[in-house]
Amino acid sequence: MRTVFATFNFKSTDTATAEKHYTENHVRLTLQLPNLRQYITGLVRPLPHPPSPHRAAFNYFDDEAALRWALHKSPAAKPLLEDGAAHLRVNRWLELDSEIIVPFEPRRPGLECFVLASEFELKLKGAGAEAAEQRYLDYHVDVARRLPNLRHYMISKYQVSTKIGAVTASGEVRMRNPLRMAMLVFDSSEALHDAYHSPVGQELSKDEEATIVNTRLYRIDATVQL
């Protein structure tokens, strides 16, 4: 699966009017994209440092080819991109290779939920990136998927090319530590709070301290669009 995660502010200082245009026009245009499998938008809860973006959106596609066609070649692409250029100031755009661990059930347009999205790298602790990756997938992801109240869980990372790896004396290509992202969806922020204070949540928090580094968190009051 290929996922786009975008954060942005409005170019207009009239936030109320910009919000109305975004929900009535930009969201409508996005929903016209072919191959769009899931679409979630939301307001990012502000943090004092660093300055937080105003909004965030997740767009799910089956693969990179489906995303490329939808955003660059389909008839729906041009009006959407023109609207974005006119009204939005994008400050984060990530195209991620993703895997759905817990499908979003129940999901319906208009459903309100709370999203915790986290960007991070894995702590290598002397091990190679592949070993850290395997440990993350085998243990950390298994713990996270058992969080109570969890409605949806997706993990993602950048596609890494061997061209950017460092070649050792033996000729082995050593991959750099890729940026990862995890998206956890709950009914509300209170449900997230309760989940992380459960025994499973405490186990997960402990492992996060041991496993991940360079974390950037987004707390999003979200709405399912598709």
Side-chain angles (χ1 to χ4, degrees), residues 122-195:
L122 298 177
K123 288 184 180 179
L124 301 184
K125 295 183 290 189
E130 290 185 4
E133 172 94 352
Q134 197 60 51
R135 197 266 178 195
Y136 168 77
L137 295 174
D138 290 346
Y139 180 73
H140 187 90
V141 171
D142 182 65
V143 176
R145 74 189 304 166
R146 293 187 281 112
L147 284 170
N149 309 316
L150 184 64
R151 294 288 179 249
H152 178 44
Y153 179 29
M154 179 181 70
I155 61 172
S156 306
K157 68 176 180 178
Y158 281 128
Q159 186 175 10
V160 180
S161 169
T162 55
K163 293 180 180 179
I164 60 176
V167 181
T168 66
S170 64
E172 176 189 10
V173 176
R174 181 172 299 153
M175 306 302 290
R176 71 170 174 83
N177 192 9
L179 178 71
R180 272 204 162 269
M181 187 166 201
M183 175 194 186
L184 299 100
V185 179
F186 297 85
D187 290 336
S188 63
S189 59
E190 292 77 16
L192 167 66
H193 178 273
D194 292 344

